[in-house]
Amino acid sequence: MAQKVVLRIISMTNDKMKQKAIAAAADIHGVDSIEAELKNKELLVVGEMDAVAVVKKLKKVTGTVDIVSVGPAADEEAPPSPSHDRKKKKKKKKKKKQNKKDEVEEKEEYDDEEFVEF
């Protein structure tokens, strides 16, 4: 299961340090993608890797590293709750019922027109 780790690297103030941080994170087994943002001094690492290994490696290279968040990657979000599914089914059923009702009314109107005598 892929996970997303967001880290704040205090010493990442220039492009040279940013490149060092990216290179260090890229050496970790299981890393799929890395994004660095100088403005917030944050590094986003996504993959099937050990978050502790990433932090240890970055501490050796850059100094102080703070973990902002660790969680599942965006493409593996939790499935919708069962109550959400029920609401969806209810809406679908209601819509189907309304469509049937509309069809019956149209058919009755059509039948009425057919039996007009001259």
Side-chain angles (χ1 to χ4, degrees), residues 55-110:
V55 172
K56 280 184 178 181
K57 181 78 171 190
L58 287 169
K59 276 188 178 183
K60 284 182 184 178
V61 174
T62 63
T64 307
V65 177
D66 297 327
I67 299 173
V68 176
S69 69
V70 177
D75 60 318
E76 295 183 13
E77 289 184 19
S81 65
S83 64
H84 178 71
D85 289 341
R86 279 181 279 191
K87 287 177 185 176
K88 236 180 175 179
K89 285 180 182 178
K90 221 176 195 180
K91 277 186 177 180
K92 202 173 187 179
K93 195 173 183 180
K94 193 175 183 179
K95 191 174 182 181
K96 204 174 190 179
K97 195 174 184 181
Q98 183 63 38
N99 286 345
K100 254 187 177 177
K101 191 177 178 182
D102 291 344
E103 285 177 11
V104 169
E105 287 176 2
E106 285 178 15
K107 189 174 182 180
E108 286 175 357
E109 288 175 13
Y110 181 73

Side-chain angles (χ1 to χ4, degrees), residues 18-28 34 57:
K18 175 181 162 183
Q19 290 304 318
K20 281 185 179 182
I22 290 172
D27 285 344
I28 305 292
I34 305 166
K57 181 78 171 190

